[in-house]
């Protein structure tokens, strides 16, 4: 029984220690990610990846990169996606932007409140937009799915929106427009610049939790061993002649 307990304690100690080390590695990775994203967000805008580079776009190399693109908005094919922001509940307005080479990229022009009336303009004049490159959000929101047939959207699923709007092949990303990147045609439009760039970084807490559990297991095992030795010492029967009975 003692052997089984010792083996279980040793296994738990090794597992908890390994998990703590893994969380420290995750913390280092997260800190590096945060630093890279901060550099991208505050850098001068660069040209958005063109059609030739679309297959190479990844979160590690491009997400939250400050980009610039030019073209004409296709207002008639804009899509509203449910949003909860510091301005309240409403929608993100994703509008296709047709570029000079004919390719299309979706631009999240910003937040619009419920009941916001879209401009009557079908296609805009040529514009230049700057913003943060974001990757597609396939499937839908948390516990909610997109319903293209009902034109209800809970996530910015680029491919699904492109199919629903008949846009053909589009960039595998969308761009969150900067604040004031372009006023709406009617002067009362989307509020850009609301991208939340925040990453949860609780890995140090998790690491300390796992290491604490490891030390608790080690402490419990040590206590059991010492208690067993104490009990064995108490059970030793002294040898020698018994005391003679008194008269």
């Amino acid at each position: 029984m003692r052997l089984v307990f010792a083996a279980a304690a040793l296994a738990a100690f090794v597992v908890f220690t390994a998990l703590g080390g893994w969380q420290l590695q995750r913390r280092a990775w997260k800190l590096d990610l945060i630093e890279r994203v901060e550099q991208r967000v505050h850098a001068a805008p660069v040209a958005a990846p063109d059609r030739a580079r679309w297959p190479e776009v990844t979160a590690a190399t491009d997400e939250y990169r400050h980009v610039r693109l030019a073209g004409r908005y296709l207002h008639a094919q804009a899509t509203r996606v449910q949003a909860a922001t510091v301005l309240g509940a409403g929608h993100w307005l994703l509008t296709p932007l047709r570029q000079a080479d004919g390719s299309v990229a979706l631009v999240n022009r910003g937040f619009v409140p419920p009941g916001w009336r879209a401009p009557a303009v079908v296609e805009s004049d040529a514009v230049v937009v700057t913003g943060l490159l974001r990757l597609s959000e396939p499937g839908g929101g948390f516990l909610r799915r997109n319903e293209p047939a009902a034109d209800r959207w809970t996530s910015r699923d680029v491919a699904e929106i492109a199919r629903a709007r008949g846009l053909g092949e589009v960039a595998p990303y969308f761009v969150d427009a900067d604040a004031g990147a372009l006023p709406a045609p009617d002067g009362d439009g989307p509020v850009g610049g609301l991208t939340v760039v925040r990453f949860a970084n609780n890995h140090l807490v998790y690491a300390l939790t796992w290491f604490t559990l490891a030390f608790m297991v080690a402490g419990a095992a040590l206590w059991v061993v010492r208690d067993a030795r104490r009990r064995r010492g108490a059970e030793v029967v002294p040898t020698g002649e018994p005391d003679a009975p008194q008269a």
Side-chain angles (χ1 to χ4, degrees), residues 13 33 41 44 69 103 123 125 149 160 168 176 183-184 210 243:
F13 179 82
L33 172 65
V41 168
L69 62 171
S103 64
E123 182 174 316
D125 295 331
E160 193 68 45
D176 279 346
W210 289 122
D243 293 339

Side-chain angles (χ1 to χ4, degrees), residues 77-140:
Q77 293 163 294
T79 300
R80 302 187 190 199
V81 180
Q82 291 180 15
T85 74
V86 294
L87 301 179
H91 299 90
W92 298 122
L93 186 68
L94 267 67
T95 307
L97 183 77
R98 188 176 302 282
Q99 301 175 86
D101 64 356
S103 64
V104 174
L106 292 183
V107 176
N108 175 17
R109 298 181 58 224
F111 172 83
V112 295
W116 179 79
R117 303 186 65 174
V121 180
V122 175
E123 182 174 316
S124 74
D125 295 331
V127 297
V128 177
V129 183
T130 61
L132 300 181
L133 186 150
R134 305 291 306 282
L135 296 187
S136 180
E137 301 168 345

Side-chain angles (χ1 to χ4, degrees), residues 12-187:
F13 179 82
V14 170
V15 170
F16 291 153
T17 301
L19 288 171
W22 176 66
Q23 286 295 337
L24 289 180
Q25 293 175 354
R26 293 282 296 171
R27 179 175 181 270
W29 168 83
K30 183 63 69 67
L31 290 175
D32 179 65
L33 172 65
I34 292 172
E35 182 180 359
R36 284 188 282 114
V37 168
E38 284 294 320
Q39 291 175 351
R40 294 174 187 174
V41 168
H42 299 294
V46 298
D50 57 18
R51 193 194 303 267
R53 283 197 53 215
W54 287 356
E56 304 171 6
V57 174
T58 66
T61 59
D62 295 287
E63 190 161 27
Y64 294 105
R65 189 176 298 283
H66 201 189
V67 298
R68 177 186 63 255
L69 62 171
R72 297 177 183 273
Y73 279 126
L74 308 178
H75 290 296
Q77 293 163 294
T79 300
R80 302 187 190 199
V81 180
Q82 291 180 15
T85 74
V86 294
L87 301 179
H91 299 90
W92 298 122
L93 186 68
L94 267 67
T95 307
L97 183 77
R98 188 176 302 282
Q99 301 175 86
D101 64 356
S103 64
V104 174
L106 292 183
V107 176
N108 175 17
R109 298 181 58 224
F111 172 83
V112 295
W116 179 79
R117 303 186 65 174
V121 180
V122 175
E123 182 174 316
S124 74
D125 295 331
V127 297
V128 177
V129 183
T130 61
L132 300 181
L133 186 150
R134 305 291 306 282
L135 296 187
S136 180
E137 301 168 345
F142 180 66
L143 298 180
R144 300 172 300 169
R145 299 196 63 81
N146 292 322
E147 300 179 49
D151 200 25
R152 284 196 290 267
W153 303 88
T154 60
S155 75
R156 292 164 290 192
D157 186 334
V158 170
E160 193 68 45
I161 290 174
R163 281 192 292 270
R165 296 292 183 260
L167 297 174
E169 186 181 18
V170 300
Y173 56 81
F174 61 93
V175 174
D176 279 346
D178 290 336
L182 181 74
D186 59 3

